[in-house]
Amino acid sequence: MATDNEQTHVSDNTMPRGDLCTRTLAMPADTNPSGDIFGGWLMSQMDIAGGVLASQIAEGRIATVAVDGMTFLRPVYVGDTVCVYGDIERIGNTSIVLHLEAWVLRRNQPPRIKVTEATFTFVAIDAEGRPRPVRSDEAKV
């Protein structure tokens, strides 16, 4: 994982891809033994954000079925504002694939820093938890 002091170019992206889905504050209770924010906490924040977007697209209940290419680019620290952005990659008959990125503001000051990205796959489900068709019209998103 690159540190903030390294001058390596971690990403060509200087702006988040997609729309803001959630924003939260990283707290001391979310740290690992090294004092950085635990990667599992960050992954859960991305899953929540993706779920918000996917449920809007599906117009109903969804379930996470896969996470691919989870890449932790930089650490997240206590006090960072964590913003998760989502972008539709594709919509299938019952599935929704989203590209999600987590960005932070350190001490609420620019610049934004991309810390994590992944592809999440969700499936639209009915009241019994069985796959159901996703609506085809993306205009309401």
Side-chain angles (χ1 to χ4, degrees), residues 36-113:
D36 297 326
I37 297 300
F38 179 58
W41 178 85
L42 186 55
M43 185 176 183
S44 72
Q45 296 304 307
M46 293 175 74
D47 191 30
I48 291 167
V52 168
L53 180 56
S55 66
Q56 289 174 342
I57 295 165
E59 295 182 337
R61 192 171 165 198
I62 51 89
T64 307
V65 295
V67 178
D68 295 305
M70 179 68 91
T71 306
F72 295 92
L73 304 168
R74 295 192 183 273
V76 176
Y77 302 118
V78 171
D80 284 352
T81 300
V82 178
C83 305
V84 181
Y85 296 82
D87 190 34
I88 300 168
E89 286 204 351
R90 68 183 170 279
I91 298 176
N93 185 39
T94 61
S95 65
I96 300 163
V97 180
L98 302 176
H99 175 81
L100 298 174
E101 297 180 352
W103 291 68
V104 298
L105 287 169
R106 306 237 193 259
R107 296 167 297 285
N108 285 320
Q109 299 296 314
R112 272 184 288 226
I113 302 164

